Amino acid sequence: MAVPMKFLTEDLEAMKRDGLYGTIRTIESPQGAWVKIAGKDYINLCSNNYLGLCNDPRLVKKVKDYVDKYGIGPGAVRTIAGTMIPHIELERRLAEFKGADAAIVLQSGFCANLAVIPTLVPSADDTIYSDSLNHASIIDACRLSKAKVVRYEHSNLDDLTAKLEEFKGAPGKHLLVTDGVFSMDGDIAKLPEIVEICEKYGVIVVVDDAHGEGVLGRGGRGIVDHFGLHGKVDVEVGTMSKAFGVMGGVIAGSTTLIDYIRQKARPNLFSSALTVPDIAANLASVDILEESEELVTRLRENGDFLKMELSAIGFNTGNSETPITPVIIGEAQDAKTFSAKLFENGVFATAIVFPTVPKGTARIRCMVSAAHSRDDLNLAVERFAKVGREMGIIL
Ligand SMILES: *Cc1c(COP(=O)(O)O)cnc(C)c1O
């Protein structure tokens, strides 16, 4: 390899040495309660396919209908080549679903954060208050803004208030951004209190509801609905890559906010829209969520069941308030061994280690789905018990 590129091999080797090099499995089946890997079937506890919609026949059918009618690609960015009817239809349906005045659909949840933060608070005079456990896409979005970023301790309202007090009166705009559901522990942001405090200090509130969309609130309408905060949260960011089972990001809020984002956000101005199949599949997901709460209810029941069963046999499942079920093992190497042994026993559940979670709290994060049957979950618990006893983690 050419000399200036030698760092690639060196860095990759260092990652391998430190156990930080990730193995990415090849999945030979659709995403579902089970997945096929190297010809074998595994119980899938890794995906964010909360409602099992990734391979739902209703999504597949809607995609086929829309592709027949509209083709595939959007042609160019929307401000140049125009917006296709399916995109407008999805934006209207999502706004209605979430009880917001308007919505705009972006390419991903990641892009939606990049569209919100640098657009609303671009200047070096501005101040961003950011929860210390916010998602990487929020951190990167903050880096794209010139604003001062003030991190407050995770969900600590006293620390938040102290920071707001410290920076109040600073010129420019002030904006707070928080995950709605924190993905590694499954805890929920204290949104009612955050909204109240921010109102007092005149701070814009942005919530990224990626893990709450299709999960929290009535029929999966998200964190704002969960707390009954309609009209009180300035900006709701979301993703359709999790519970919706597809891909795409969404921003919901006032008509003026959405108009502003449409006109000024760089991911909308300089990157093309989602494809017609993505939009069609998302429309089918909204249809399914609006028709019935059945999947959302089953997801919650499955999450409660798995947590209860795993903690009953002695595992530490943390303080999750959502279907996210962490099984805290402790040391990184133990969590990795645990995950490898689960895999040998037919369970696909990845270990999550430092720097994604603090040192000493390495874990297996179980993501349950409405698609899992009770038999699937019982089998998973049995395999966790077997490996846990083999490793001396439970008695
Ligand atoms: C998953 C996630 C995202 C990224 O969503 P994509 O649509 O996959 O890009 C953004 N924010 C949070 C909080 C997430 O959990």
Side-chain angles (χ1 to χ4, degrees), residues 101-145:
D101 291 340
I104 179 171
V105 167
L106 277 304
Q107 301 83 351
S108 67
F110 202 115
C111 283
N113 279 321
L114 302 190
V116 167
I117 294 169
T119 308
L120 297 186
V121 280
S123 142
D125 281 345
D126 297 333
T127 308
I128 300 171
Y129 305 91
S130 176
D131 187 287
S132 60
L133 291 189
N134 275 344
H135 188 261
S137 59
I138 296 178
I139 296 169
D140 287 8
C142 292
R143 287 180 182 152
L144 278 178
S145 154

Side-chain angles (χ1 to χ4, degrees), residues 48 107-111 113 134-138 179-181 183 208-211 237-242 247-249:
N48 298 323
Q107 301 83 351
S108 67
F110 202 115
C111 283
N113 279 321
N134 275 344
H135 188 261
S137 59
I138 296 178
D179 276 24
V181 174
S183 60
D208 177 351
D209 200 23
H211 282 278
V237 175
T239 178
M240 278 107 51
S241 69
K242 294 185 171 116
M247 191 63 208

